[in-house]
Amino acid sequence: MPWVLWGLALLAGALNTVQSGTNATLNRALGQPVLAALAVYAGGVAGALLASPFLGLSWHGLGGRAAQVPWWGWIGGLLGAVYVLVTLTSAQKLGAGPYTALTLTAAVVTSVLLDHFGLVGFEVRSLSLPRVLGCALMIGGVVLIARY
């Protein structure tokens, strides 16, 4: 099962990069980042609805479960909107390589910090020299990709 999860994570990462280009193309054609973002989210809602029969959508007990969600559990859509709007306005200007290197490196460094402090629902995974070195190598990779 872990290999399936690794494969899904790799697929999500690849699709995220492709999505940056498709979203930026949509923005360029429409000329309006907010309209492009709304179109992106409409597609996301449609995709979630299409996937729901396969992922076991259940409305039973939803009110009680929703009441137990911490405040920060509700801001994912807002954070996603920021990401989409930044992608719409920046990805093609920076180029696929630098943009992806920057966002991926920021994601890795942030994730190591979230793990270390056990924030937003992640279990504590202490900061270690290999993790710090991995982050440093990612930052070095950004420099190489962005400059050359």
Side-chain angles (χ1 to χ4, degrees), residues 54-112:
F54 305 102
L55 299 175
L57 174 65
S58 172
W59 297 96
H60 180 70
L62 180 61
R65 292 190 314 264
Q68 295 174 8
V69 176
W71 70 268
W72 43 263
W74 294 102
I75 64 170
L78 178 60
L79 300 176
V82 170
Y83 177 82
V84 167
L85 288 167
V86 170
T87 299
L88 291 169
T89 58
S90 303
Q92 287 184 335
K93 292 175 185 167
L94 290 172
Y99 183 78
T100 302
L102 286 163
T103 58
L104 183 59
T105 300
V108 169
V109 171
T110 301
S111 68
V112 167

Side-chain angles (χ1 to χ4, degrees), residues 100-148:
T100 302
L102 286 163
T103 58
L104 183 59
T105 300
V108 169
V109 171
T110 301
S111 68
V112 167
L113 292 172
L114 292 175
D115 280 349
H116 179 70
F117 293 107
L119 299 173
V120 296
F122 289 104
E123 292 181 25
V124 173
R125 288 180 176 85
S126 297
L127 197 60
S128 64
L129 184 59
R131 286 179 148 225
V132 171
L133 182 58
C135 289
L137 289 170
M138 294 279 302
I139 293 167
V142 169
V143 172
L144 291 174
I145 291 169
R147 292 191 72 188
Y148 302 104

